[in-house]
Amino acid sequence: MADKINVAGVPVDTRHWIGGQRVASAETFIDSSPIDGQPIGEVARGGPAEAQAAVAAARDAFPSWAATPRAERARLLHAIADGVEKRIEELAIVETTDNGALLRSHRRGVMPRVAHNFRFFADWLLKLDHEDFETRGHRNHVSWDPAGPCVLITPWNAPLMLATWKVAPALAAGNTVILKPAEWSPLTASLLADIAAEAGLPAGVLNVVQGYGAEIGDALTSHPDVRRISFTGSVPTAKRIAASAAANLTPLSLELGGKSPLLVFADADLELAVDLAVEQYDNAGQVCLAGTRLLVEESVAEEFTRRFVAKAGALRQGDPRDEATDIGPNIHPRQLEKIDGFVRRAIADGARAVIGGHRRDGQFYAPTLLTDVAQDSEVVQEEVFGPVLTLQTFADEDEAVRLANDTRFGLAATLATGDPERAERVTAGLVAGTVWVNCFFVRDLQAPFGGSRLSGVGREGGTWSFDFYCDLKNTVTAPKGFKDHG
């Protein structure tokens, strides 16, 4: 295979990045674009040998990187952010080609956020501290020690942004990293390796290996030298990773998606509520935080539905490189089949498609709203991860909260109400890692992020990220006992 491919004029190396060098594999896999289904190129397909090499490189680089002063680690992370900002256009077009998300979103929001991820954790590192405290005259001092090599396994729906949400704090903490991107969208991770090397990151501190989870992922997550594993993806895969990590008691951080509710009360600003609901089609519904279960108070359900249908009907679906496009394709034919299967089974069980409910040409699925769905039905209980919403009604606040919490998940929830006291009562009763009131997708890296129930294990963001990526140490010092060195 060719070492590099041309993606819309951007050269991308398709080999692994291990120990500061490009490494080929005997096997490859085809990476295709969801825009037209055409192959982009062949990508190195790693297995146990590449996993072993990457962990060895990370292990060997760890002592020096862990000993690097905080200020120097922070400087290098800012240098990586500078490199990202210089290549925003290239990163945006490569990622749009690779995963089908909107080019305008990548340019204006996603890639700038990638740079911000590095800058935020670089700055947070420099102020990371815990005030000393006393116990019977003894001084307690809390410190965050680097843990060791970290395996970071990232998803395909926002490849580079979600990868750097993990990579940046892991590196800031003084750890070395083995990044394994999703096989459906591996290309911007390769560009990140180039950017990090150009920024001066030492060899072996960041390694990028590509391939299938069953072939390379298992070898990474079961390795005894790996000290942290962070994964974003599905519950079944997370269970396999947890089982693999159990032999070494390797700590895990798992973000596993959800089935989030969007509650609309009769006292809400209905136009705002409709806008929030239509926003759930963002990224063709491939957003883990999406409020896919619309729960609307009975007295306004008819008017809400009328306005929703009108607004959703105005969305433009098509080529994500077109500035006028609102919804692009779904990532892969297999994912499209999964989405369509959910909808077909729901309709067979009595659901009604108010809008959508069918495929379009290529890898596009029409924005869909299903009503007449039972609370225990598959489409209400399981994550579809496509442009499919359900609408149910409730009579009062208690029923709203009960329906909202009645799934196995608990990642997020969105609430539309004009009553601040109701907002406090309802949010207190919701099982969710993040709750938005009269807004959606407002995220600050200072805040804890993660899910309850099957939506995940642990929290990251701000100091919570360093708590995960470090071994916390408390040093207790007696007031006496030191020799006088004066």
Side-chain angles (χ1 to χ4, degrees):
M1 78 172 191
D3 292 344
K4 290 188 178 182
I5 57 175
N6 186 296
V7 184
V10 181
V12 181
D13 202 305
T14 55
R15 295 171 294 175
H16 313 286
W17 178 253
I18 300 174
Q21 296 182 340
R22 288 292 175 179
V23 176
S25 289
E27 300 292 329
T28 63
F29 64 92
I30 299 294
D31 181 34
S32 298
S33 175
I35 299 173
D36 55 13
Q38 294 301 304
I40 303 172
E42 293 183 58
V43 178
R45 178 174 171 175
E50 289 82 1
Q52 292 286 346
V55 174
R59 182 193 61 216
D60 292 346
F62 173 67
S64 176
W65 181 243
T68 300
R70 284 188 180 190
E72 177 61 9
R73 295 204 302 264
R75 185 192 69 77
L76 285 167
L77 263 63
H78 275 291
I80 295 172
D82 292 340
V84 169
E85 289 176 345
K86 289 176 184 175
R87 301 184 69 176
I88 279 179
E89 183 64 23
E90 293 181 5
L91 292 166
I93 190 62
V94 170
E95 189 131 299
T96 290
T97 303
D98 205 16
N99 89 324
L102 299 184
L103 180 58
R104 73 178 192 223
S105 296
H106 282 141
R107 283 171 170 159
R108 299 170 193 170
V110 177
M111 295 309 162
R113 172 62 182 270
V114 168
H116 176 65
N117 285 345
F118 284 104
R119 296 200 191 283
F120 173 87
F121 286 107
D123 293 342
W124 200 268
L125 169 66
L126 296 181
K127 63 183 180 181
L128 184 66
D129 193 22
H130 189 291
E131 186 176 348
D132 290 353
F133 56 98
E134 286 196 2
T135 304
R136 298 188 300 278
H138 295 65
R139 180 172 65 91
N140 291 261
H141 175 73
V142 177
S143 58
W144 286 260
D145 291 353
C150 299
V151 167
L152 311 179
I153 303 174
T154 54
W156 45 258
N157 58 319
L160 192 57
M161 194 275 285
L162 292 178
T164 56
W165 159 250
K166 301 175 187 294
V167 169
L171 293 180
N175 298 319
T176 51
V177 165
I178 305 101
L179 171 63
K180 192 276 182 193
E183 60 268 24
W184 287 351
S185 56
L187 299 182
T188 48
S190 180
L191 293 177
L192 177 64
D194 293 337
I195 292 170
E198 291 163 7
L201 195 70
V205 174
L206 172 64
N207 306 276
V208 179
V209 290
Q210 299 137 171
Y212 297 111
E215 296 175 356
I216 193 169
D218 290 347
L220 290 171
T221 57
S222 63
H223 200 292
D225 290 337
V226 170
R227 296 314 312 139
R228 294 292 187 274
I229 300 169
S230 182
F231 168 73
T232 297
S234 71
V235 172
T237 301
K239 289 181 178 180
R240 291 196 296 272
I241 290 173
S244 180
N248 302 307
L249 293 180
T250 308
L252 296 166
S253 176
L254 304 173
E255 195 270 277
L256 309 178
K259 196 67 183 175
S260 301
L262 193 161
L263 296 85
V264 179
F265 287 89
D267 58 19
D269 177 334
L270 211 56
E271 199 60 31
L272 170 64
V274 168
D275 287 344
L276 293 174
V278 173
E279 194 176 347
Q280 309 310 308
Y281 289 130
D282 182 49
N283 201 23
Q286 299 168 143
V287 178
C288 58
L289 295 161
T292 56
R293 294 185 295 130
L294 308 183
L295 304 176
V296 184
E297 194 163 356
E298 290 172 352
S299 61
V300 295
E302 185 176 344
E303 177 63 15
F304 173 89
T305 303
R306 185 187 66 78
R307 295 192 193 188
F308 177 90
V309 168
K311 190 143 192 116
L315 295 173
R316 294 187 59 174
Q317 189 167 25
D319 192 323
R321 297 165 294 192
D322 187 336
E323 283 279 322
T325 297
D326 298 306
I327 301 178
N330 290 98
I331 183 76
H332 193 274
R334 214 159 71 209
Q335 184 66 15
L336 192 70
E337 182 62 32
K338 176 186 172 186
I339 295 164
D340 191 47
F342 269 106
V343 174
R344 286 187 285 105
R345 290 189 296 272
I347 291 174
D349 288 341
R352 181 170 66 94
V354 178
I355 59 170
H358 57 85
R359 298 185 185 192
R360 288 178 169 159
D361 291 340
Q363 288 176 209
F364 295 84
Y365 203 87
T368 297
L369 177 66
L370 300 176
T371 61
D372 302 331
V373 290
Q375 179 61 23
D376 62 355
S377 64
E378 177 194 50
V379 77
V380 170
Q381 293 293 324
E382 300 297 332
E383 187 176 43
V384 178
F385 221 60
V388 178
L389 310 181
T390 60
L391 190 149
Q392 299 165 271
T393 62
F394 60 84
D396 54 34
E397 207 172 282
D398 288 343
E399 185 181 19
V401 172
R402 179 180 63 78
L403 291 173
N405 290 338
D406 188 20
T407 74
R408 301 179 300 156
F409 298 97
L411 185 58
T414 303
L415 167 63
T417 178
D419 183 344
E421 293 181 356
R422 167 172 279 157
E424 288 188 15
R425 288 193 305 271
V426 172
T427 55
L430 293 173
V431 178
T434 300
V435 180
W436 287 287
V437 180
N438 295 327
C439 60
F440 177 65
F441 219 57
V442 179
R443 288 185 58 188
D444 193 307
L445 289 178
Q446 298 180 77
F449 179 76
S452 305
R453 298 175 175 168
L454 288 190
S455 285
V457 175
R459 295 291 186 273
E460 295 185 50
T463 300
W464 291 277
S465 284
F466 288 95
D467 287 349
F468 172 69
Y469 287 111
C470 291
D471 290 325
L472 278 96
K473 178 190 293 177
N474 185 45
T475 301
V476 184
T477 304
K480 297 179 180 180
F482 292 114
K483 293 182 179 178
D484 185 2
H485 291 279

